[in-house]
């Protein structure tokens, strides 16, 4: 048996960075065959077809088939894993409401198509921005599919946070554990290091020796750096994050399927945990157990942390309300 993986926006940048790693086994391991479905809009078909030709030329042992289509029913047919990457970017002069509406027009129908044609075990990860609200719309449109099957990618934010801590502490990134991303995949997100460890030692304690006032460092250096890293990459590279985003999507899916021992972060549909209104797609510290994301329970939040999380949740609530006001939810 092979796993069927649908990638929307497969003709785009992140799609190109995803396809070859998935075909090489980076997501599901060296023993799992994969069937790739590349779903595009008509303008993106040529690029996806080109990628499909190159996938052939890769002669990957694990790659059973590649199909390119602009038909959602076909694209999601039998899909076990769906990476929703294609989205409408913000154009010049576009208001936030226009952006939300344009994306609701994509993720609503895709959610519906997933409900109608994907496999009953489908797992969906939304990468395309605004990722959290797009995931909420897709979940709400997918009648009969449990909301737990819809997630938004915040693993890139977690990876960025871990990398910044590793740099600040001059420690290997593999030593940095239990960093949590809360809230929206946006500038309001809260990268939380309260319970993070570096080589088993509390990060806060280790940081105090290096940066002095850890609270000030978090507020003035660390949080803005992580939350605005996407803009920094655009500034330096001249184009948005691609390979790091693809890597995060692969790690998120791998952990969802295979499980984790430790914490990680994912945008999932809230069941009211930590006061996040039920139904919003928010990032939480999570573990993956038996193929399901579970919110890490019992984390103590300071007033400062609570305030940060509330700000991001307010933004998510506003995004949801704006989509509702447009009659698209
Ligand atoms: P590209 O513009 O290179 O590719 C997007 C592709 O999606 C295009 O080929 C386009 O034809 C296709 N597309 C558009 N609408 C579609 C639809 N309805 N169905 C199928 N395909 C469709 O963008 P890329 O750099 O690949 O980024 C993709 C998305 O990821 C963007 O929304 C971007 O903002 C988002 N990101 C999310 C990140 C995250 O951590 N959650 C980080 C990276 C990135 O910014």
């Amino acid at each position: 048996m092979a796993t069927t993986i649908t990638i929307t926006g497969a003709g785009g940048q992140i799609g190109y960075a995803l396809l070859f790693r998935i075909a090489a086994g980076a997501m599901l391991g060296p023993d799992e065959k994969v069937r790739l479905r590349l779903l595009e809009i008509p303008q993106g078909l040529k690029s996806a077809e080109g990628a499909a030709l190159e996938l052939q030329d890769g002669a990957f042992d694990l790659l059973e088939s590649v199909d390119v289509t602009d038909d959602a029913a076909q694209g999601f047919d039998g899909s076990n894993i769906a990476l929703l990457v294609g989205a409408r970017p913000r154009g010049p002069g576009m208001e936030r409401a226009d952006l939300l509406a344009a994306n609701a027009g994509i993720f609503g129908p895709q959610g519906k198509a997933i409900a109608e044609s994907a496999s009953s075990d489908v797992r969906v990860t939304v990468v395309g921005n605004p990722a959290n609200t797009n995931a909420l719309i897709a979940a709400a449109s997918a009648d009969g599919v449990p909301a737990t099957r819809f997630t938004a990618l915040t693993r890139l934010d977690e990876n960025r946070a871990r990398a910044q801590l590793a740099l600040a502490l001059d420690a290997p990134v593999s030593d940095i554990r239990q960093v949590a991303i809360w809230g929206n995949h946006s500038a309001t997100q809260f990268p939380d290091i309260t319970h993070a460890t570096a080589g088993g030692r509390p990060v806060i304690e280790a940081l105090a020796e290096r940066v002095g006032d850890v609270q000030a460092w978090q507020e003035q250096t660390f949080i803005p750096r992580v939350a605005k890293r996407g803009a920094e990459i655009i500034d330096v590279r001249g184009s948005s994050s691609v390979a790091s985003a693809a890597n995060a999507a692969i790690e998120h899916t791998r952990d969802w399927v295979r499980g984790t021992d430790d914490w990680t972060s994912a945008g999932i549909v809230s069941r009211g945990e930590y006061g996040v209104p039920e139904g919003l797609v928010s990032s939480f510290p999570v573990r993956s157990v038996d193929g399901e994301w579970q919110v890490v329970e019992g984390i103590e939040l300071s007033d400062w942390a609570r305030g940060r999380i509330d700000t991001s949740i307010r933004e998510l609530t506003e995004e949801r309300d704006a989509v509702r006001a447009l009659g698209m939810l």
Side-chain angles (χ1 to χ4, degrees), residues 199-247:
R201 186 178 179 211
V203 152
I204 300 260
E205 199 182 290
L207 276 172
E209 290 163 12
R210 300 225 166 212
V211 303
D213 184 344
V214 178
Q215 184 67 23
W217 181 80
Q218 283 188 80
E219 289 185 35
Q220 289 156 26
T221 306
F222 174 71
I223 295 177
R225 191 88 199 264
V226 173
K228 295 181 189 160
R229 184 68 161 183
E232 186 183 345
I233 300 286
I234 291 173
D235 207 33
V236 176
R237 201 180 162 257
S239 152
S240 60
S241 314
V242 173
S244 55
N247 180 57

Side-chain angles (χ1 to χ4, degrees), residues 82-99:
L83 303 176
L84 308 189
V85 180
R88 177 74 194 275
R90 191 188 284 255
M94 207 173 178
E95 298 291 333
R96 195 171 69 151
D98 302 333
L99 180 76

Side-chain angles (χ1 to χ4, degrees), residues 61-84:
D61 289 343
L62 295 175
L63 185 57
E64 228 179 61
S65 63
V66 183
D67 296 293
V68 181
T69 180
D70 62 357
D71 178 76
Q74 225 174 306
F76 291 115
D77 184 32
S79 185
N80 306 107
I81 289 171
L83 303 176
L84 308 189

Side-chain angles (χ1 to χ4, degrees), residues 8-9 11-15 39-41 44 85-87 106 110 127-129 131 153 156 185 240-242 245:
T8 74
Q13 299 277 357
I14 294 176
L39 178 61
E40 261 291 350
I41 47 177
V85 180
I106 294 174
Q110 286 187 352
V127 178
N129 281 317
L153 184 73
L156 177 57
H185 168 69
S240 60
S241 314
V242 173

